């Protein structure tokens, strides 16, 4: 679906065709859930927050500014919602021994052998934990760039930061991750 | 020991293509810069490989339930949703049970309300300008 088609869907929703909103939810559910999951570190909270993000976007759809892409706007809502949630939870830093009782996300299969999967799983866990230890402003950009694979320009629009600051934060976040993961990778 | 000039700009992707080429040539001579770049690339590659999680199977339904509710009730989302999540929507007989259960009840309630709108519209001949703003054929489809 290109930008024009997306705008047509948005117009249809605004005219009262609620079912068309499902098209947008279907398209963006995965990126938004993944983004929020890596921001808050808990799958259950992430899915609830992601639901909230979509409902909020539906209610505020009339205020959507067409000069941005819908995804940019959606990620902006998701960022604000995740940061708001984390601030309320007052968890700035999560320990490496964080609780994983309700952390049961289903990962995409990558077709690796069991041994590779085991090694990959360890790396996955280490990186997931390491991302959780980053300060929010660094976590936000590193997740958008590396997990959601957004461009620097799009991240700049989502976060409302200058392009140079975005690049610098991503670099500094990787540097912090390197320190956290020293000797593991 | 101080980093070579340009290393930071190279790693933050802030170099013009000519300067980038010059720095890449420098990398073949400078072991220190080369190691720093290599480490950064390793972290970068590993981060791109962090697997994506799947969304729950009923995710779309749990979003569309409240969306339909907002549409039919003609209400603003506001605080109502957070109340759903904490203790139900506050309406007697609705929004009880688990999260998905609550949303399911809201969704069904919403569709029932839609049906009432349709009947009202038909009774008063207000086709196309019902209170809920829904076109009648679409409204009747809610029954299915």
């Amino acid at each position: 679906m290109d930008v024009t088609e997306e705008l047509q869907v948005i117009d249809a929703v605004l005219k009262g065709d609620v079912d068309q909103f499902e098209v947008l939810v279907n398209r963006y559910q995965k990126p938004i859930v993944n983004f929020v999951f890596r921001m808050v570190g808990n799958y259950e909270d992430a899915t609830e927050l992601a639901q909230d993000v979509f409902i909020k976007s539906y209610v505020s759809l009339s205020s959507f500014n067409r000069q941005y892409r819908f995804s940019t706007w959606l990620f902006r809502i998701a960022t604000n919602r995740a940061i708001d949630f984390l601030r309320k939870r007052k968890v700035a830093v999560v320990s490496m021994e964080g609780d994983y009782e309700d952390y049961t996300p289903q990962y995409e299969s990558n077709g690796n052998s069991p041994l590779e999967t085991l090694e990959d799983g360890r790396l996955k866990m280490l990186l997931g934990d390491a991302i959780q230890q980053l300060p929010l402003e660094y976590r936000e950009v590193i997740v958008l760039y590396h997990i959601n694979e957004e461009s620097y320009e799009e991240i700049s629009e989502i976060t409302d930061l200058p392009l140079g600051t975005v690049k610098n934060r991503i670099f500094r976040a990787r540097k912090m991750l390197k320190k956290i993961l020293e000797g593991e990778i | 020991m101080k980093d070579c000039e340009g290393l930071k700009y190279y790693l933050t992707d802030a170099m013009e293509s000519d300067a980038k080429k010059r720095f890449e040539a420098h990398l073949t001579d400078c072991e220190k810069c080369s190691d720093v770049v290599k480490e950064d690339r390793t972290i970068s590659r590993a981060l791109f490989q962090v697997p994506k999680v799947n969304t729950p199977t009923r995710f779309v339904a749990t979003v569309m339930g409240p969306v339909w509710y907002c549409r039919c009730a003609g209400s603003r989302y506001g605080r109502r949703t957070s109340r759903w999540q904490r203790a139900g929507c506050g309406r007697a007989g609705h929004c009880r049970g688990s999260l998905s259960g609550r949303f399911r009840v809201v969704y069904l309630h919403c569709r029932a309300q839609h049906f009432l709108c349709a009947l009202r519209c038909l009774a008063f001949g207000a086709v196309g300008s019902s209170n809920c703003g829904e076109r009648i054929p679409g409204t009747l489809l809610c029954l299915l």
Side-chain angles (χ1 to χ4, degrees), chain B residues 41-90:
Chain B
R41 296 284 180 266
T42 309
I43 295 279
S44 183
R45 260 198 310 275
L47 279 166
F48 277 120
Q49 284 166 11
V50 169
K52 311 271 191 294
V53 292
N54 287 321
T55 46
T57 41
R58 287 187 47 78
F59 183 81
V60 177
T62 51
V63 171
M64 290 311 288
V67 163
W68 267 101
Y69 182 85
C70 294
R71 173 76 178 88
C72 294
S75 64
R76 287 275 147 195
Y77 173 66
R79 290 176 190 160
R80 186 168 292 171
T81 300
S82 54
R83 283 181 65 198
W84 279 344
Q85 290 179 341
R86 285 200 301 272
C89 73

Side-chain angles (χ1 to χ4, degrees), chain B residues 99-120:
Chain B
L99 183 72
S100 57
R102 278 205 302 275
F103 280 127
R104 198 161 44 240
V105 172
V106 171
Y107 185 57
L108 292 173
H109 159 67
C110 170
R111 292 207 151 197
Q113 197 181 49
H114 226 59
F115 172 52
L116 290 177
C117 280
L119 285 182
R120 193 164 48 207

Side-chain angles (χ1 to χ4, degrees), chain A residues 39-69:
Chain A
M39 284 295 284
V40 301
N42 178 298
Y43 187 63
E44 212 177 304
D45 288 337
T47 51
E48 274 191 37
L49 287 172
Q51 281 168 21
D52 243 18
V53 169
F54 281 108
I55 297 165
K56 175 109 179 82
S57 73
Y58 170 74
V59 173
S60 318
L61 200 59
S62 55
S63 65
F64 165 63
N65 186 344
R66 282 153 194 273
Q67 81 177 71
Y68 298 109
R69 285 173 55 187

Side-chain angles (χ1 to χ4, degrees), chain A residues 135-185:
Chain A
L136 277 181
E137 62 268 35
Y138 292 97
R139 200 187 308 172
E140 177 188 13
V141 290
I142 207 90
V143 172
L144 284 169
Y145 186 72
H146 285 285
I147 312 290
N148 287 85
E149 298 180 29
E150 299 292 339
S151 66
Y152 289 131
E153 288 76 14
E154 191 135 9
I155 298 171
S156 162
E157 282 185 356
I158 293 167
T159 54
D160 217 3
L161 289 168
L163 201 61
T165 311
V166 169
K167 289 179 178 179
N168 211 19
R169 277 197 189 172
I170 292 171
F171 165 65
R172 287 177 71 181
R174 280 203 300 258
K175 223 171 164 181
M176 288 179 199
L177 286 173
K178 192 196 118 197
K179 254 193 177 165
I180 298 167
L181 295 169
E182 216 123 51
E184 298 285 355
I185 298 177

